[in-house]
């Protein structure tokens, strides 16, 4: 006899994350088929219940750097609350990041007495890099610890390359001049990348919030009891108490 289970997987951000979760689950003995949905943050596993169970799925997903949770109505309620907090956090960081990034872009494109100063750009871009972008850097570090890479790794490598190069050009320009290179800064690149990714994540969080509400409405339509016949008697029992053969 085979079983099928749907459960939530948190922490996925791109196709590489989906591949990592699928690989971890498919590596378990007793797993027959795995489907992972990035948009719904959900995994569907067909397996042999006498060999393996959800605790095993949760363990290997945790080892891969993600979190697995069973989907219940209580979980959906908590998930909605969590998504609401995440949306508010993303919106706050996006607004502040955009306010700080705008003058950096202006200063990079139009030479102005203040905004074009490299030190001013450094002051404006540093909160964007280390505060607004910290969620990406933490996720990238988690991926590295688990010997894998994902979209957060790309964001972190790209923004830090532009930021660190710019900091060196701002405060130690002689290392470039000594090598015959004219120093320049790319604060606008690092800040703009983080701001745009935050915008994308905000739109994604909004869409997922609507999905959670739809799932909750569907779960409320699920019957709580069933009428069965055992022997010559008709009984009404909870869905969870229905046995094979009833």
């Amino acid at each position: 006899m085979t079983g099928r289970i749907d459960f939530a997987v948190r922490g996925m951000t791109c196709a590489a994350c989906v591949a990592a979760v699928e690989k971890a689950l498919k590596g378990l003995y007793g797993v027959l088929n795995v489907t992972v949905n990035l948009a719904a943050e959900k995994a569907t596993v067909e397996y042999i219940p006498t060999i393996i169970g959800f605790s095993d799925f949760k363990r290997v997903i945790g080892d891969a750097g993600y979190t697995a949770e069973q989907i219940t109505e209580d979980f959906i309620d908590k998930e909605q609350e969590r998504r609401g907090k995440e949306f508010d956090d993303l919106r706050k960081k996006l607004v502040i990041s955009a306010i700080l990034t705008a003058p950096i872009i202006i200063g990079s494109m139009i030479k102005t007495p203040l905004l074009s100063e490299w030190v001013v750009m450094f002051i404006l871009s540093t909160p964007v890099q280390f505060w607004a972008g910290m969620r990406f850097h933490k996720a990238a570090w988690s991926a590295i610890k688990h010997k894998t890479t994902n979209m957060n790794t790309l964001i972190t490598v790209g923004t830090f390359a532009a930021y660190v190069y710019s900091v060196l050009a701002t405060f130690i320009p002689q290392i470039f001049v000594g090598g015959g290179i004219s120093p320049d800064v790319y604060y606008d690149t690092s800040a703009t990348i983080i701001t745009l990714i935050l915008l994308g994540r905000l739109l994604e969080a909004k869409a997922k919030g609507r999905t959670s509400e739809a799932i909750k409405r569907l779960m409320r339509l699920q019957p709580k009891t069933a009428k069965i016949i055992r022997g010559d008697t008709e009984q009404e029992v909870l869905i969870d108490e229905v046995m094979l053969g009833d």
Side-chain angles (χ1 to χ4, degrees), residues 68-99:
E69 289 189 46
Q70 287 186 303
I71 301 173
T72 62
E73 189 163 344
D74 182 57
F75 167 81
I76 296 296
D77 289 333
K78 292 180 180 178
E79 185 72 356
Q80 279 189 301
E81 183 180 349
R82 184 186 69 83
R83 288 192 188 281
K85 290 180 180 178
E86 181 184 17
F87 183 84
D88 292 340
D89 180 63
L90 282 168
R91 181 170 54 187
K92 179 177 70 174
K93 288 185 175 179
L94 173 63
V95 170
I96 295 175
S97 182
I99 291 172

Side-chain angles (χ1 to χ4, degrees), residues 11 20 32 48 63 130 133 142-143 161-162 182 202 204 210 214 218 240:
L32 305 175
I48 303 174
D63 291 341
F130 291 98
S142 176
S182 177
L202 182 71
E204 182 183 36
R210 292 174 178 171
L218 285 171
D240 294 339

Side-chain angles (χ1 to χ4, degrees), residues 30-67:
V31 170
L32 305 175
N33 188 43
V34 177
T35 303
V36 180
N37 188 312
L38 175 63
E41 293 185 312
K42 186 183 77 170
T44 301
V45 180
E46 293 181 23
Y47 63 104
I48 303 174
T50 54
I51 297 176
I52 203 165
F54 176 72
S55 60
D56 301 293
F57 307 149
K58 186 174 183 178
R59 174 178 53 80
V60 296
I61 288 175
D63 291 341
Y66 306 93
T67 305

Side-chain angles (χ1 to χ4, degrees), residues 19-240:
V21 172
E22 286 185 345
K23 182 180 179 181
L25 291 170
K26 288 179 178 178
L28 289 170
Y29 178 69
V31 170
L32 305 175
N33 188 43
V34 177
T35 303
V36 180
N37 188 312
L38 175 63
E41 293 185 312
K42 186 183 77 170
T44 301
V45 180
E46 293 181 23
Y47 63 104
I48 303 174
T50 54
I51 297 176
I52 203 165
F54 176 72
S55 60
D56 301 293
F57 307 149
K58 186 174 183 178
R59 174 178 53 80
V60 296
I61 288 175
D63 291 341
Y66 306 93
T67 305
E69 289 189 46
Q70 287 186 303
I71 301 173
T72 62
E73 189 163 344
D74 182 57
F75 167 81
I76 296 296
D77 289 333
K78 292 180 180 178
E79 185 72 356
Q80 279 189 301
E81 183 180 349
R82 184 186 69 83
R83 288 192 188 281
K85 290 180 180 178
E86 181 184 17
F87 183 84
D88 292 340
D89 180 63
L90 282 168
R91 181 170 54 187
K92 179 177 70 174
K93 288 185 175 179
L94 173 63
V95 170
I96 295 175
S97 182
I99 291 172
L100 294 172
T101 301
I104 298 173
I105 295 175
I106 294 171
S108 299
M109 298 177 64
I110 305 170
K111 298 302 178 183
T112 59
L114 181 62
L115 296 181
S116 295
E117 294 291 332
W118 290 359
V119 173
V120 174
M121 291 185 185
F122 163 76
I123 293 171
L124 292 172
S125 65
T126 297
V128 178
Q129 182 69 30
F130 291 98
W131 177 70
M134 185 54 68
R135 63 189 296 120
F136 310 127
H137 308 327
K138 284 183 177 179
W141 177 243
S142 176
I144 291 171
K145 286 194 296 184
H146 290 90
K147 299 178 181 179
T148 185
T149 57
N150 53 37
M151 189 177 73
N152 295 300
T153 311
L154 182 63
I155 295 168
T156 294
V157 171
T159 57
F160 265 104
Y163 179 81
V164 171
Y165 181 92
S166 301
V167 170
L168 293 174
T170 301
F171 297 102
I172 321 176
Q174 56 270 25
I175 66 174
F176 299 101
V177 175
I181 301 173
S182 177
D184 204 350
V185 295
Y186 301 94
Y187 292 116
D188 57 329
T189 300
S190 62
T192 301
I193 289 174
I194 289 174
T195 301
L196 291 177
I197 297 295
L198 282 171
L199 174 61
R201 292 287 173 87
L202 182 71
L203 297 175
E204 182 183 36
K206 186 175 183 180
K208 286 180 178 178
R210 292 174 178 171
T211 302
S212 295
E213 180 60 32
I215 292 173
K216 185 176 179 180
R217 288 199 297 268
L218 285 171
M219 290 187 71
R220 284 174 176 165
L221 296 176
Q222 182 179 349
K224 301 293 188 294
T225 61
K227 287 185 178 180
I228 63 173
I229 295 176
R230 286 180 180 164
D232 297 327
T233 308
E234 182 181 284
Q235 304 175 26
E236 186 170 349
V237 299
L238 295 173
I239 288 291
D240 294 339

